Amino acid sequence: MCTAISLLTRDHYFGRNLDLEYGYHETVTITPRAFPFPFRKAQTLNRHYAMIGMATVMDGYPLYYEATNEHGLSMAGLNFPKSAVYLPEQPDMDNITPFEFIPWILGQCATVPEAKDKLRKLNLINIPFNTTLPPSPLHWIIADASQSIVVEPMAQGLKIYENPVGVLTNEPPFDYHLYNIRNYLNLSPNPATDRSGITLTPFSNGMGGIGLPGDFSSASRFVKAAFVKCNSVCDDGEAQSVSQFFHILSSVAMPRGSVRMGEDKYEITRYCCCCNTNRGIYYYTTYDNSQINAIDMTLENLQGDQLILYPLLEQPQINIQNGPKGR
């Protein structure tokens, strides 16, 4: 379960909540331009655009959850367990595995239109990373500062949707979410108005949003994230924009105990991230550390051929303003 959003203030911001019951030793990962990306059924990318995002690095290969490249194109994979179908290899197609999809697009494309062009011949194939890591059932959001699309591998083939909302969650397929959101056309950030014909006044602020879902299902998170994001108001400074982005994500974050997965297993928002795609600055928080941490891709040697890794700062960091530390 996850939620991803694309937000434009003065700059463009892209990020997501990663909701899982356990982690995979994820780390903020910068892939410089000369790191070779070998693909199982396609030619190796020896030179490509640099990118930054969250990944699990396995056998020296970055398995990206989401990333942004040096031109500002961003992409995230979200769980799609009921509907995702990966097909056998097909001749005359670009046969790419799901774990290769993010670097294949971000390594070669600078904009959503360029990504769309690559998608015309894409065939996502059913090949695992290794014998212990089968293909994850995913769908993807791809965004730049101008537009957003959703890519879904279905039994009927690859589905590509325009995404005017700039939000993606999980099942059902994206066309359902676009249809379902019409059930909430009445929602408003404005005060509730009397439509009864008698004199009634609201007794609380926020009553224009009565009916806004508050549960953690993917359909409800889509609606709530869309409502909060589309009504978002903030100054366009960097600190204000980043703060606002994390507030939007926190509106659909999962506290431990709210979504039970089994005996003593709970789905939680393991991390939230936000990338300023214009500047290549990647921000993140973790479940236990709500301090916003930042890594600037442009300060690294992007001409190199080795991955640059930043382990997550996961311990709580509390600023005690008075009294002894550790109280």
Side-chain angles (χ1 to χ4, degrees):
M1 306 292 278
C2 303
T3 305
I5 62 173
S6 174
L7 178 71
L8 185 65
T9 61
R10 179 181 60 193
D11 288 342
H12 176 237
Y13 299 85
F14 180 90
R16 58 102 59 81
N17 288 342
L18 183 83
D19 305 323
L20 285 173
E21 66 269 29
Y22 44 78
Y24 290 90
H25 307 292
E26 51 269 9
T27 182
V28 180
T29 304
I30 299 172
T31 302
R33 300 180 187 116
F35 175 86
F37 271 119
F39 298 126
R40 299 295 173 90
K41 299 295 180 177
Q43 187 174 0
T44 297
L45 276 181
N46 289 307
R47 295 288 301 180
H48 50 76
Y49 299 139
M51 62 193 75
I52 184 170
M54 194 74 75
T56 293
V57 179
M58 188 171 292
D59 297 334
Y61 195 98
L63 303 172
Y64 274 111
Y65 302 6
E66 85 289 321
T68 294
N69 71 17
E70 60 186 289
H71 292 283
L73 187 66
S74 302
M75 187 171 176
L78 286 78
N79 199 29
F80 197 46
K82 304 297 183 182
S83 301
V85 175
Y86 302 127
L87 301 174
E89 185 178 356
Q90 298 182 33
D92 303 320
M93 297 289 284
D94 291 320
N95 294 286
I96 300 297
T97 70
F99 66 84
E100 300 167 335
F101 189 22
I102 288 179
W104 187 74
I105 287 291
L106 296 188
Q108 303 179 86
C109 304
T111 65
V112 168
E114 288 183 18
K116 285 181 178 179
D117 188 60
K118 295 293 290 183
L119 293 172
R120 297 180 195 279
K121 291 186 63 179
L122 174 66
N123 180 41
L124 287 170
I125 54 176
N126 189 23
I127 293 181
F129 181 76
N130 58 31
T131 56
T132 63
L133 196 62
S136 297
L138 303 173
H139 60 175
W140 290 264
I141 178 172
I142 304 175
D144 59 22
S146 300
Q147 63 185 116
S148 171
I149 60 173
V150 171
V151 180
E152 295 186 334
M154 309 285 283
Q156 307 91 332
L158 204 65
K159 301 285 187 179
I160 302 169
Y161 299 96
E162 298 294 331
N163 184 355
V165 186
V167 171
L168 184 63
T169 56
N170 310 101
E171 296 276 2
F174 185 68
D175 56 353
Y176 169 87
H177 290 294
L178 283 185
Y179 194 85
N180 177 60
I181 203 169
R182 302 180 194 191
N183 288 316
Y184 302 92
L185 289 172
N186 63 300
L187 297 180
S188 171
N190 298 317
T193 57
D194 180 17
R195 300 175 185 173
S196 66
I198 58 178
T199 303
L200 297 174
T201 58
F203 54 79
S204 170
N205 293 330
M207 293 180 69
I210 286 179
L212 181 67
D215 63 88
F216 296 105
S217 68
S218 55
S220 294
R221 283 184 288 108
F222 186 95
V223 172
K224 188 171 186 180
F227 176 83
V228 176
K229 181 217 151 181
C230 292
N231 289 292
S232 172
V233 177
C234 72
D235 293 336
D236 62 5
E238 181 71 356
Q240 294 84 356
S241 296
V242 171
S243 175
Q244 184 74 352
F245 197 99
F246 279 100
H247 278 295
I248 296 169
L249 287 179
S250 69
S251 73
V252 290
M254 295 184 181
R256 182 177 284 113
S258 298
V259 181
R260 189 174 185 179
M261 304 297 291
E263 187 67 28
D264 297 326
K265 292 183 179 179
Y266 298 93
E267 194 161 71
I268 63 172
T269 298
R270 299 199 62 84
Y271 72 81
C272 309
C273 69
C274 165
C275 188
N276 181 321
T277 71
N278 297 79
R279 304 184 188 184
I281 304 174
Y282 184 93
Y283 302 89
Y284 74 90
T285 64
T286 65
Y287 187 85
D288 289 315
N289 181 11
S290 57
Q291 173 179 283
I292 297 175
N293 304 283
I295 297 166
D296 188 340
M297 176 172 67
T298 65
L299 299 179
E300 305 293 341
N301 175 20
L302 298 183
Q303 297 293 351
D305 61 0
Q306 300 295 314
L307 297 176
I308 303 162
L309 308 179
Y310 283 90
L312 299 191
L313 303 176
E314 299 195 67
Q315 294 302 311
Q317 299 188 39
I318 300 172
N319 179 34
I320 299 176
Q321 290 189 265
N322 71 327
K325 292 183 178 180
R327 183 174 61 182

